[in-house]
Amino acid sequence: MGNTDSAVVQKRLAHFRPDERSVIEGIFDRLHGSDAVSSGKTGTILSLDMLKMTMRDVASESMINRVFQGMHSVDPGVALPPGDGVSREQLVIFLADICRGTAEERAPLVLAMAGGEKAASATADQIRGFVEDLVSCAVQTLAYRGHLRAWQPDRMSDGPEGVKALAEQLTSEMKPSDQNTCDVPCLEDWLFRIPTMALFLEFLIGEGLGLRLPSHPPLTLLPQCQYAPWSALSCLLNLPLLMFLTPHLPDGYIAPWKLLFSTSLHGESFTRLVGNCKERGPTVLLMKDTKGHVFGGFASQSLEVKPQFQGDSRCFLFSVFPYMRVFTCTGYNNHYMYLNQGQQTMPNGLGMGGQHGYFGLWLDFDFGHGHSRARPRCTTYGSPQLSGEEDFKLDSLEVWGVGKPPEEPGEGENKKSILIADPEVQAMMEMTGKTMHSQGLREPDEDGGQ
């Protein structure tokens, strides 16, 4: 293969199984074969034009240029062949660091892709521009490759605004210098704390270069949509929002989403909302006010109609627009969620966090009105005011089921974990740092297997 003299290459290849190493090393030759205008010369470098021919359907030209810069910035530890291209050794190291690398190994590549291959640092705006390009390409790839998992973007809300919002959210965790720049240690710290970035990078390179490792099922960035009447639905969700929310859910990519209630379908009826959503398992509540703010909450347990707080510490509130953020429990109290109807002495409506009269998120039983009273932060979730005005008017509302309804006694016996049935889901759980508790607790089958 021509890379045996590079100790750097051999170190990177050690991250892979023997049957995977041949796949990684074979990408260089396959990319050469994809060049429709090849001059017929034996290739020692990978040109930018070759990369464009391979990735043009799933990535913008600017993103392809960024990937090429990242590849070209690699020091392979051996002399480079003549020409302004990427050597075989550089490509192998780049693929290894993207697919199996640590934050320390990925950080220099991100810097090169954001600020240029010789850059010592990049501005926060340059990093944000790179991430926006990366998220946009992920959305494009999902559509082109048919990985939408039954979601229909043409019936969902504005994608470009969602791309910008998700890019801003991902980069909000960076800690740039006083000059608003990020060097390699800054990026390393950021990548270590934001595992979603590794997922996006691997997804781009895997789909863009057609990289399929035998031990690694294809990645996805979306949960399955189990049910939504798309022909009649005007949806508040968009693909970037799904990519943002799903890793925060306890079941992550395992739980299929199904529409339970939408004002565009069911009208403005609190009674209909309660009837459609109670006792339906975990739910995501998403609302938009008349000022254009979009926000919501995750209820980790089935909603029950009763004049007491319910739920547990897995519940959270979130903002979608004008910015994307998740607000998890502070531990100050257990006022996670509340649903009540038809009472004269207790508030009637749906709420999350805070206290009666001062909820972090509240929808009144008259349905058209609600409030988000933080002053300055919700005691339960630490969230600020989510709506455009403290007392808001509702524009639209959706509730999605994101888990199984409560099982009847005995119903769950003799059922295998979905992690066994779907290795793709298992891979996604591992990528996003989810602990698969059931792996160590599952009883073996009678034949000794799992």
Side-chain angles (χ1 to χ4, degrees):
M1 283 293 190
N3 55 32
T4 56
D5 293 332
S6 172
V8 181
V9 169
Q10 294 306 313
K11 179 181 177 182
R12 295 302 201 278
L13 286 176
H15 295 330
F16 299 93
R17 300 185 335 188
D19 59 333
E20 296 174 328
R21 294 171 193 168
S22 60
V23 176
I24 294 292
E25 293 181 295
I27 292 290
F28 186 87
D29 293 328
R30 185 160 59 77
L31 293 179
H32 265 273
S34 69
D35 185 6
V37 294
S38 173
S39 62
K41 297 179 180 180
T42 302
T44 58
I45 59 172
L46 174 68
S47 70
L48 177 59
D49 286 340
M50 293 176 187
L51 196 62
K52 288 180 178 179
M53 288 288 292
T54 302
M55 299 185 67
R56 61 187 179 185
D57 291 326
V58 298
S60 63
E61 184 172 354
S62 63
M63 190 72 238
I64 297 172
N65 289 333
R66 292 181 189 276
V67 172
F68 188 79
Q69 287 176 181
M71 293 176 176
H72 203 259
S73 70
V74 172
D75 180 4
V78 295
L80 294 173
D84 187 24
V86 174
S87 71
R88 184 187 298 272
E89 292 84 0
Q90 286 177 310
L91 178 62
V92 168
I93 295 170
F94 177 86
L95 294 176
D97 287 350
I98 291 293
C99 296
R100 296 287 171 82
T102 63
E104 181 181 4
E105 291 165 334
R106 290 188 177 111
L109 300 180
V110 170
L111 178 59
M113 288 188 281
E117 61 182 275
K118 299 185 182 299
S121 64
T123 66
D125 286 342
Q126 285 178 312
I127 302 297
R128 189 173 296 110
F130 163 69
V131 176
E132 188 174 320
D133 215 354
L134 182 63
V135 174
S136 179
C137 289
V139 172
Q140 179 180 341
T141 301
L142 289 168
Y144 181 80
R145 298 292 193 205
H147 297 333
L148 293 172
R149 307 196 76 185
W151 296 99
Q152 296 192 17
D154 59 326
R155 303 298 301 174
M156 303 171 80
S157 65
D158 184 30
E161 286 300 321
V163 167
K164 290 180 181 293
L166 180 53
E168 188 279 329
Q169 186 275 327
L170 290 170
T171 54
S172 68
E173 297 290 334
M174 285 192 310
K175 299 176 181 178
S177 68
D178 293 340
Q179 290 74 38
N180 205 35
T181 60
C182 299
D183 57 10
V184 168
C186 171
L187 292 174
E188 180 184 337
D189 171 74
W190 172 57
L191 293 170
F192 179 79
R193 290 183 291 105
I194 309 297
T196 305
M197 282 301 301
L199 186 62
F200 276 116
L201 288 167
E202 184 175 349
F203 183 77
L204 170 70
I205 299 305
E207 293 294 332
L209 302 185
L211 178 59
R212 298 285 184 269
L213 296 176
S215 67
H216 205 50
L219 297 176
T220 183
L221 301 176
L222 300 174
Q224 183 74 32
C225 178
Q226 186 179 73
Y227 169 76
W230 291 111
S231 61
L233 180 64
S234 178
C235 186
L236 285 174
L237 284 172
N238 56 45
L239 297 187
L241 175 54
L242 281 166
M243 291 189 282
F244 166 62
L245 283 180
T246 304
H248 293 283
L249 301 179
D251 287 337
Y253 299 88
I254 293 176
W257 288 50
K258 48 189 175 295
L259 185 69
L260 302 179
F261 179 88
S262 169
T263 48
S264 69
L265 296 175
H266 305 110
E268 299 184 358
S269 168
F270 193 79
T271 299
R272 185 74 178 270
L273 169 68
V274 172
N276 283 21
C277 301
K278 68 177 181 179
E279 302 295 342
R280 299 298 297 272
T283 50
V284 168
L285 172 76
L286 187 63
M287 61 178 66
K288 180 180 181 180
D289 67 18
T290 54
K291 297 294 183 181
H293 285 227
V294 182
F295 46 93
F298 166 67
S300 60
Q301 299 176 356
S302 286
L303 289 164
E304 298 180 31
V305 179
K306 60 183 181 180
Q308 293 94 29
F309 286 97
Q310 51 194 291
D312 58 34
S313 60
R314 296 174 298 171
C315 298
F316 58 80
L317 292 178
F318 59 86
S319 171
V320 177
F321 185 82
Y323 54 86
M324 281 186 182
R325 294 290 188 277
V326 160
F327 305 99
T328 55
C329 296
T330 63
Y332 182 83
N333 58 38
N334 62 353
H335 299 174
Y336 305 117
M337 59 196 213
Y338 176 93
L339 177 63
N340 198 30
Q341 185 181 26
Q343 291 276 331
Q344 293 184 352
T345 59
M346 297 296 289
N348 294 310
L350 190 158
M352 294 189 69
Q355 57 185 316
H356 295 310
Y358 294 92
F359 283 91
L361 174 59
W362 172 258
L363 178 65
D364 201 74
F365 76 99
D366 70 0
F367 204 89
H369 300 82
H371 72 248
S372 178
R373 294 177 182 153
R375 300 186 182 181
R377 295 273 173 174
C378 169
T379 54
T380 310
Y381 298 109
S383 54
Q385 178 181 307
L386 301 175
S387 49
E389 295 179 342
E390 188 176 86
D391 295 288
F392 65 84
K393 293 182 179 180
L394 185 69
D395 176 83
S396 50
L397 169 71
E398 290 174 7
V399 182
W400 293 81
V402 291
K404 289 184 178 180
E407 291 184 347
E408 296 296 330
E411 184 180 340
E413 295 179 1
N414 301 321
K415 286 189 178 180
K416 292 187 176 181
S417 167
I418 191 172
L419 294 175
I420 298 177
D422 194 340
E424 178 181 309
V425 168
Q426 181 172 337
M428 293 299 299
M429 295 281 281
E430 292 172 346
M431 282 290 296
T432 54
K434 297 285 186 181
T435 303
M436 295 176 290
H437 301 286
S438 63
Q439 290 283 54
L441 301 175
R442 191 178 303 114
E443 294 182 3
D445 295 339
E446 292 182 0
D447 61 3
Q450 289 194 342

